Amino acid sequence: MLKPHVKAVQLKASFKHMEKTASIHIEDKVYTYPVITGTEGEHAIDVRRLRKDSGFITFDEGFANTGSCESAITFIDGEKGILRNRGYPIEELAKHSGFLEVAYLIIYGELPTREQSSEFRAKVTENTAIHTNMHALFDGFPSSSNPMAILSSMLNALGCYYPEMASNNREQDLEHFDNAAALLISKVRTLAAMAYRKEMGLPFVYPKHDLRYAANFLHMMFTEPYKPFEDHAGLTEAIDLFLLLHADHEQNCSTSTVRMVASSGANLFASVAAGVCALWGPLHGGANTQVIRMLEAIHRDGDDGSRFIESAKAGKSRLMGFGHRVYKNYDPRAKIIGETVEKVLSKLGVDDPLLDIARHLEQAALNDPYFVERKLYPNVDFYSGMILRAAGIPVEMFTVLFAIGRLPGWIANWHEIATSGNTKIHRPRQIYTGPNERHFVPIEERG
Ligand code: SDX
């Protein structure tokens, strides 16, 4: 039996409400609210009573200064470039662990024992294939369909094959959580590979139960009817690392979307399908695709990147893969991936001109006041596409790989909401800027 869920009580235990308070002076009144302090010393003013007390709300478009939840899963210190999953530094996990083990850690809160690890791995392996009825669903998509559209649809459709896990009855969904989590982590690869094969007009490749996670994915992607996929130069290892580095990242746009959907009581399948849609955007998970397109365009123009940097500084283009809402220092994942790219390309004996351009852009930006003043550093997407490109994965599939990697984080955040007991449905307020009251005008009197 897998370890029982992480109990909500642990969540509470990790926060201590200090005597600290914050006062808000509005007109001639003073409103005082408690300060919540996290386990890493970050502070928040608890304004949950503000509107009731004062009639005022706070306004923070993009939520750069607003905490939407308490969470015990991941911690980021953007100023120091720190990222920890359940307290473990990403650098240590990247060096010593693997994607499935980190997925277990993120979902269940602790690194698995040998027994838990083999049980979890067995559960993932036995769930790799999908119901043959789902094969027909792929026929409904035009061959030009974006694989992210297919993936979000298929993850929701998957719930139809396991109604007991996707009932929207929270207690029942939680009862089946362990199986649903393993099943989603396993089948997301299969669905992704099938979307690729469909687009390429190739027959689907059945999973092989003797292959480990990333190897099985590459097998389902690339094995052709007449020759098996052979792993050259440790691509499987590089893809596993890519997935590990993407596994969870606090309340980013897609994870917050998963929590928003989960807050309504929606099941895990519907919630992660919504996460895929949010991740697709070019400012978020879609950036890894945009980076390669940017580098290809720079290469096509015969530019070494210098002209592009100037156009970015003039606001005419965006240096994709640079900048981050939270990191105002180097994204630790970018560092790790940057080093891995060198290793993979040299093992493959590939001399990719795009890497030279990327390196030039990085050095130029890191020494240019425009980027330095705005604290714009490479983020996870800047080099990640180079690894996928080396593995022969088409650019259209890059964000799909990001989604496969992020799935454990989405699952853990859904679970945190589902077990927190006191979750309120997410329903932000707004500042209305439309017309004041006016009355209906019959059509003959309009215009
Ligand atoms: C991911 O949140 C997460 O954790 C996300 C993620 C995860 O793991 O889930 O880390 C994954 O999404 C990484 C980010 C991938 N996106 C990109 O690489 C797209 C390029 N970067 C940006 O568009 C931007 O930096 C964001 C969207 C990432 C962050 O945007 P913010 O915090 O809203 O910052 P901003 O757009 O307000 O920019 C602040 C200033 C502006 O200049 P000024 O108006 O002050 O003159 O910096 C400039 C921006 O024009 N700027 C850039 C830039 N990013 C910001 N200028 C040129 N190139 C860029 N990339």
Side-chain angles (χ1 to χ4, degrees):
M1 180 58 189
L2 285 169
K3 178 177 160 41
H5 321 118
V6 173
K7 288 276 175 299
V9 69
Q10 281 178 4
L11 200 63
K12 285 288 158 245
S14 65
F15 286 84
K16 49 189 190 317
H17 288 265
M18 317 260 290
E19 310 70 52
K20 271 195 188 136
T21 58
S23 297
I24 301 176
H25 296 238
I26 300 176
E27 286 137 14
D28 57 353
K29 288 206 178 115
V30 180
Y31 301 90
T32 301
Y33 296 102
V35 167
I36 298 174
T37 300
T39 46
E40 286 292 339
E42 71 280 37
H43 301 301
I45 303 168
D46 182 349
V47 292
R48 282 175 283 189
R49 290 189 49 79
L50 177 64
R51 188 170 185 278
K52 208 182 184 118
D53 295 349
S54 69
F56 278 60
I57 63 170
T58 59
F59 184 74
D60 182 22
E61 196 167 19
F63 310 124
N65 306 284
T66 297
S68 63
C69 61
E70 293 179 337
S71 178
I73 303 168
T74 293
F75 172 71
I76 298 173
D77 182 323
E79 278 63 35
K80 295 184 188 144
I82 289 172
L83 165 59
R84 298 191 201 121
N85 292 139
R86 297 285 189 181
Y88 294 96
I90 194 68
E91 295 82 359
E92 291 184 32
L93 294 173
K95 194 164 169 210
H96 302 296
S97 190
F99 173 63
L100 267 196
E101 182 172 81
V102 169
Y104 184 98
L105 167 67
I106 285 172
I107 292 170
Y108 293 102
E110 297 296 339
L111 288 169
T113 61
R114 203 176 293 282
E115 189 198 346
Q116 288 165 336
S117 178
S118 51
E119 274 192 23
F120 185 63
R121 194 174 289 283
K123 209 180 258 280
V124 169
T125 302
E126 76 197 28
N127 271 294
T128 313
I130 63 162
H131 195 295
T132 46
N133 286 4
M134 288 194 81
H135 291 205
L137 300 182
F138 285 88
D139 295 337
F141 290 95
S143 57
S144 58
S145 304
N146 187 295
M148 286 295 273
I150 298 175
L151 185 64
S152 60
S153 317
M154 287 298 179
L155 285 174
N156 228 338
L158 198 56
C160 302
Y161 288 78
Y162 302 93
E164 71 286 3
M165 302 179 186
S167 67
N168 283 9
N169 168 322
R170 189 61 26 110
E171 209 176 305
Q172 179 177 324
D173 290 348
L174 277 173
E175 194 191 315
H176 296 278
F177 173 76
D178 293 337
N179 289 337
L183 177 147
L184 276 162
I185 287 174
S186 187
K187 293 183 194 300
V188 69
R189 291 171 292 177
T190 317
L191 295 169
M194 290 174 79
Y196 167 71
R197 302 286 291 192
K198 178 78 196 157
E199 188 194 341
M200 304 300 284
L202 291 169
F204 295 143
V205 175
Y206 279 84
K208 283 178 71 181
H209 283 188
D210 58 343
L211 292 177
R212 291 172 74 92
Y213 193 86
N216 220 345
F217 171 66
L218 292 174
H219 158 67
M220 290 189 280
M221 281 277 289
F222 295 131
T223 292
E224 291 170 33
Y226 23 82
K227 79 173 166 50
F229 168 74
E230 263 123 42
D231 180 17
H232 303 296
L235 281 179
T236 302
E237 206 182 309
I239 296 293
D240 192 83
L241 174 64
F242 171 98
L243 297 175
L244 181 156
L245 292 172
H246 286 77
D248 191 51
H249 207 244
E250 280 194 2
Q251 298 310 313
N252 56 81
C253 178
S254 51
T255 301
S256 302
T257 301
V258 169
R259 288 185 85 109
M260 170 74 86
V261 175
S263 75
S264 73
N267 65 76
L268 178 58
F269 295 77
S271 302
V272 298
V276 171
C277 298
L279 187 72
W280 191 359
L283 294 186
H284 188 14
N288 57 18
T289 306
Q290 300 302 322
V291 168
I292 295 295
R293 295 213 191 292
M294 171 187 77
L295 295 174
E296 285 171 339
I298 292 171
H299 184 53
R300 251 195 326 272
D301 295 350
D303 175 15
D304 65 357
S306 310
R307 286 204 304 275
F308 188 85
I309 285 277
E310 292 314 310
S311 77
K313 286 160 66 178
K316 292 195 193 100
S317 44
R318 192 138 268 223
L319 183 50
M320 299 311 275
F322 255 72
H324 199 277
R325 172 61 58 76
V326 175
Y327 288 121
K328 300 309 169 194
N329 197 324
Y330 228 98
D331 180 337
R333 301 167 296 175
K335 237 181 235 162
I336 296 166
I337 287 191
E339 289 152 13
T340 309
V341 169
E342 297 282 2
K343 276 189 233 152
V344 168
L345 291 184
S346 61
K347 268 189 187 176
L348 281 172
V350 167
D351 178 16
D352 191 337
L354 300 192
L355 183 58
D356 299 335
I357 295 173
R359 291 281 184 231
H360 179 89
L361 286 173
E362 180 186 11
Q363 285 315 309
L366 292 180
N367 296 293
D368 187 302
Y370 173 92
F371 296 92
V372 173
E373 281 155 17
R374 291 169 176 79
K375 298 185 176 176
L376 301 175
Y377 293 89
N379 59 50
V380 68
D381 294 306
F382 190 62
Y383 283 113
S384 57
M386 305 296 297
I387 289 187
L388 304 181
R389 190 173 138 93
I393 291 172
V395 171
E396 297 72 29
M397 288 290 289
F398 283 14
T399 312
V400 171
L401 268 289
F402 192 148
I404 295 173
R406 185 51 52 87
L407 191 57
W410 291 339
I411 291 171
N413 276 273
W414 181 90
H415 185 264
E416 205 166 52
I417 280 217
T419 53
S420 68
N422 60 359
T423 287
K424 296 176 81 67
I425 189 167
H426 290 194
R427 203 271 183 227
R429 294 279 179 166
Q430 63 164 26
I431 292 294
Y432 176 68
T433 57
N436 298 106
E437 188 180 12
R438 51 186 176 164
H439 299 288
F440 185 77
V441 179
I443 192 157
E444 52 277 8
E445 296 170 24
R446 292 176 202 159

